[in-house]
Amino acid sequence: MMNQDKQTELQAFALKVRERIIPMATEGGCFLGASLSAVDVLTYLYTSFLHIEKSNLDDPKRDYLFLSKGHDVPALYGIFAELGWIASDRLSNHLSTSDSIYWHPNRQIPGVEFHSGSLGQLPAVSIGVAMDMKMSKTANRVVCVMGDGELNEGSCWEAFLVAHAHKLTNLIFVIDRNQFQANMATEDLIPLEPLVDKFVAFGMHTQRVNGHDFAQLAEAFEQTNVVPGPHVIICDTVRGKGLPSIEARSDRWFCNFSAGEIQSLMDELHQISQATLTAETLVVR
C-alpha cells in the first residue's frame, strides 16, 4: 500500500509537470487536454515503477516505455524536464526549427524510445522488444501507453492477440481512457465498451483503475509483478485534468492560447482564479 506521504510527493511532482506542459499550448499549440490526462500515469511510471534513469537511457537492460499516443508528448517532455533528463528551458523551443521538441516524440530527445504519431503502430513495436527480451531471458519490462481512441485501429487488436500467443508476461499495455477521440466522445464515434470484457477475451490480464489515484496505480502495477501477463491497465482519466476550464471538453483537444490565456490557465491550475479563454477551438468533421 502506498502511504500518504508518497502520494503527496507524487502529486507535487505531477503539479510541476503540468506547470511545464501548459506553456507549450501557445505559439502553435499542442494537444493539451490529452497530455494533461496522462500526466499522473506517466509520473507514477517514471518515478516509481520503471527502472529507467538518466544514467542508463542507453543500457539494453533498462525498462522501456513506448508512448504510442504520441500527441501526448508534452507530458513526456514535462516529465523528462522535471527529472533533469533534458534542460527545462528547451521546452520553450516547442515547434521551433532550432530544436527537436515537436508535436510528436522524437528520438533525438533523451529518453524517447521511438517516433510515434500514427496511432496503432507502437503496440507491435512493444511486442517486438518484449519478445527479444523474452528470448534473451532478461528481466526488462516494456510498457506501451495508448489512447482509448487509438483502440479503433485494428493493428492494436492484432498486437494483443500476438502478445497473448507468445505469453509476453513482461509486457504492459496502459490505456489512457479519457473518453475522447479528437473532438468527439469515443462512445459517440465508435463505442469501445465493455473494454474489460474485450481485453479478457483476448487473453490479457486486465485491471481498471482511476488514472489520477496514485494508490490505485501502485496497486495495479504491483499486480503485474505477481500475476502472469500480458497485462492491460485501463486508466480512467479526465481530459485536461487540473484545468476545469478545459476538463472533459470535446472542443479543447488541441489548444493554441495567447500568452495572457496561458497565464490565466496557470492561475487556474493553482486554484487562484478561473481561466478566461477566447482562443478558437479546432473542430474536425
Side-chain angles (χ1 to χ4, degrees), residues 221-236:
F221 281 98
E222 278 301 313
Q223 283 290 306
T224 67
N225 291 324
V226 296
V227 179
H231 301 270
V232 170
I233 300 178
I234 302 169
C235 296
D236 288 309

Side-chain angles (χ1 to χ4, degrees), residues 37-51:
S37 71
V39 167
D40 297 316
V41 174
L42 292 173
T43 290
Y44 177 77
L45 286 169
Y46 277 101
T47 65
S48 306
F49 184 74
L50 295 171
H51 297 149

Side-chain angles (χ1 to χ4, degrees), residues 5 55 66 99 121 126 129 133 140 142 146 165 186 195 212 226 255 274 280 285:
D5 287 345
S55 61
F66 293 99
D99 206 331
Q121 303 300 306
S126 301
V129 174
M133 293 174 181
N140 319 52
V142 179
M146 305 175 61
T186 59
L195 266 182
H212 302 301
V226 296
C255 301
Q274 184 176 351
E280 293 184 0
R285 299 296 184 188

Side-chain angles (χ1 to χ4, degrees), residues 183-198:
N183 59 286
M184 288 190 68
T186 59
E187 302 311 284
D188 292 337
L189 185 60
I190 301 177
L192 294 170
E193 298 295 346
L195 266 182
V196 171
D197 294 346
K198 290 175 181 175

Side-chain angles (χ1 to χ4, degrees), residues 83-246:
L83 289 173
W85 295 5
I86 61 174
S88 59
D89 58 3
R90 288 185 66 183
L91 300 186
S92 62
N93 296 335
H94 183 234
L95 304 186
S96 168
T97 57
S98 65
D99 206 331
S100 49
I101 303 286
Y102 207 68
W103 269 330
H104 290 96
N106 188 328
R107 287 208 65 211
Q108 294 182 33
I109 306 297
V112 173
E113 299 288 3
F114 206 88
H115 299 286
S116 59
S118 296
L119 298 177
Q121 303 300 306
L122 263 58
V125 174
S126 301
I127 284 173
V129 174
M131 288 180 67
D132 176 72
M133 293 174 181
K134 181 179 179 181
M135 290 186 290
S136 301
K137 298 182 179 180
T138 60
N140 319 52
R141 295 168 297 187
V142 179
V143 174
C144 181
V145 177
M146 305 175 61
D148 46 6
E150 184 174 7
L151 295 176
N152 289 337
E153 299 284 358
S155 57
C156 295
W157 298 95
E158 293 178 42
F160 301 144
L161 286 173
V162 173
H164 171 63
H166 288 274
K167 297 179 173 58
L168 299 178
T169 61
N170 57 350
L171 179 59
I172 306 169
F173 294 103
V174 178
I175 313 300
D176 183 7
R177 183 70 169 117
N178 63 25
Q179 301 285 333
F180 287 99
Q181 180 175 355
N183 59 286
M184 288 190 68
T186 59
E187 302 311 284
D188 292 337
L189 185 60
I190 301 177
L192 294 170
E193 298 295 346
L195 266 182
V196 171
D197 294 346
K198 290 175 181 175
F199 281 119
V200 170
F202 272 67
M204 317 296 285
H205 175 254
T206 306
Q207 303 175 78
R208 190 163 195 164
V209 300
N210 179 344
H212 302 301
D213 186 315
F214 289 112
Q216 288 190 31
L217 288 170
E219 184 176 351
F221 281 98
E222 278 301 313
Q223 283 290 306
T224 67
N225 291 324
V226 296
V227 179
H231 301 270
V232 170
I233 300 178
I234 302 169
C235 296
D236 288 309
T237 62
V238 177
R239 180 192 270 186
K241 179 67 173 178
L243 298 177
S245 292
I246 70 168

Side-chain angles (χ1 to χ4, degrees), residues 12 19 67 69 72 79 89 99 114 131 145 213 252 278:
E19 290 175 345
L67 186 65
K69 51 177 306 194
D72 282 15
I79 294 279
D89 58 3
D99 206 331
F114 206 88
M131 288 180 67
V145 177
D213 186 315
R252 288 295 186 188
T278 59

